[in-house]
DNA sequence: GCCCCCGCGCGACTAAAGTCACTGCCCCGC
DNA sequence: GCGGGGCAGTGACTTTAGTCGCGCGGGGGC
């Protein structure tokens, strides 16, 4: 209903991989409702949040009474499937550098404001958070940001990023090796 | 209805990542039916197969008439979600060696027969195929199989594998680094 | 105002992954 | 029997990822 939740998997050695971030209108922990199995991942609140609980029985009854809701639900989990496939694609085919660039481009497009120096936006969290989303470690995020800056593609100032050369950035996503 | 299909993502540079293998009773290409979007991945036949087609309209109508089918469908895509999360977990946290061992253990448990020398089974395809499932390349599969043999954990003979030390294998999955 | 903690930059290193090139083998068609 | 193609083993190498340790600096708590 309000706030922001982070769905993630964590490894015994303390690494984390973010699977999704859900805001108002999103849903978490639906899987056990669908198939009665265990929770596939963990959830934590990024901000103070307010969540609504629907029991397995109530949900199923409601779906049987209002079949169009079930169809809608299929579309919702379908979207989640797509995102997971995207994550898998990035993890198996893209380098950390490319994943980082991909995240930056996405941020620039969604949260960026055009200025005279380029597209400007703020990183949504610490480097550590970003590393978790990309499935890597803090140092690599830091290093790669510096490298991109050295290449004059972006300009970093604490958590604010200015994209100076969006086409140049996007080009990195194409390079096969 | 019959045969075996492979759902996978392929990269421009020729690498592949298998997302799922579906047999009789399974389904492929449901996502566009749910949300009207594009296909998230590719499918190819591993064996000669026979598939049934259900149109978007027919499926939706059928779900509205038989809401319990929609719920069943939710459970099916739920299972797929679980598998994808599992793949993501392995890709971000496990080494190639661990992923390989994990696959071997799974095969031993599902397709293995107990003999005096250990649990014996056949690899379902070429090393290349296995590499695609693990999200890596042929050479690493080959090398790691050899290494496991050198460590006396398994015995490799062409495509037949004998697991000599299942606990020893499983132990590899626990090591954090 | 002081201190402390956290986030970040960075260098040096290790280890894992992937690439390239080559060899040999086995099976199949002819 | 001969030749060719696909699959597997392997060595040498490069690149990328991840680890460890340290120093710096800013902001918040006291």
């Amino acid at each position: 209903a309000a706030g922001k939740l982070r769905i993630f998997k964590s490894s015994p050695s303390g690494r984390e991989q973010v699977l999704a971030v859900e805001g108002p209108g999103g849903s978490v922990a639906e899987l056990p409702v669908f198939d009665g199995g265990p929770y596939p991942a963990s959830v934590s609140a990024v901000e103070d949040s307010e969540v609504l609980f629907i029991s397995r029985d109530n949900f199923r009854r409601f779906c049987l009474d209002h079949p169009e809701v079930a169809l809608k639900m299929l579309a919702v989990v379908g979207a989640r499937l797509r995102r997971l496939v995207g994550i898998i694609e990035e993890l198996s085919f893209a380098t950390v550098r490319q994943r980082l660039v991909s995240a930056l481009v996405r941020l620039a497009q969604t949260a960026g404001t055009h200025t005279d120096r380029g597209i400007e936006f703020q990183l949504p969290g610490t480097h550590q958070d970003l590393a978790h989303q990309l499935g890597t470690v803090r140092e690599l995020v830091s290093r790669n940001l510096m490298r991109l800056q050295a290449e004059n593609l972006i300009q970093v100032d604490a958590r604010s990023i200015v994209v100076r050369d969006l086409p140049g950035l996007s080009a990195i996503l194409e390079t096969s090796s």
Side-chain angles (χ1 to χ4, degrees), chain A:
Chain A
K4 198 183 280 185
L5 301 178
R6 197 174 50 113
I7 307 178
F8 64 98
K9 263 288 186 187
S10 54
S11 83
S13 50
R15 301 250 321 253
E16 281 184 11
Q17 169 71 54
V18 173
L19 300 177
V21 176
E22 297 286 345
S27 67
V28 299
E30 334 79 46
L31 249 71
V33 172
F34 298 159
D35 62 8
Y39 295 114
S42 315
V43 176
S44 76
V46 181
E47 312 168 353
D48 284 354
S49 301
E50 196 174 331
V51 299
L52 306 176
F53 175 78
I54 303 176
S55 78
R56 183 167 155 81
D57 284 352
N58 281 338
F59 175 79
R60 301 183 79 89
R61 256 197 301 273
F62 195 77
C63 280
L64 293 177
D65 288 351
H66 307 276
E68 68 281 4
V69 171
L71 281 180
K72 180 70 182 158
M73 206 61 212
L74 277 175
V76 169
V77 300
R80 184 141 24 257
L81 265 175
R82 278 179 201 285
R83 255 176 290 145
L84 291 189
V85 170
I87 291 175
I88 291 175
E89 195 177 2
E90 291 209 326
L91 283 177
S92 25
F93 301 147
T95 65
V96 168
R97 177 174 157 89
Q98 290 174 319
R99 283 180 259 157
L100 175 60
V101 166
S102 162
L104 291 180
V105 169
R106 215 174 309 134
L107 280 170
Q109 286 168 347
T110 59
T113 61
H114 291 260
T115 72
D116 50 345
R117 292 179 307 169
I119 309 171
E120 192 169 351
F121 60 91
Q122 300 280 320
L123 290 181
T126 69
H127 286 191
Q128 183 72 255
D129 295 335
L130 191 47
H132 288 158
Q133 295 203 14
L134 304 178
T136 182
V137 293
R138 183 187 66 81
E139 289 93 324
L140 289 186
V141 169
S142 181
R143 268 194 250 278
N144 276 292
L145 280 177
M146 288 299 106
R147 182 170 161 205
L148 290 172
Q149 180 168 245
E151 292 169 332
N152 258 310
L153 295 170
I154 65 174
Q155 192 166 341
V156 186
D157 178 30
R159 285 198 199 165
S160 86
I161 305 274
V162 180
V163 174
R164 304 185 69 84
D165 182 358
L166 188 55
L169 270 191
S170 307
I172 293 177
L173 301 178
E174 310 302 329
T175 62
S176 57
S177 172

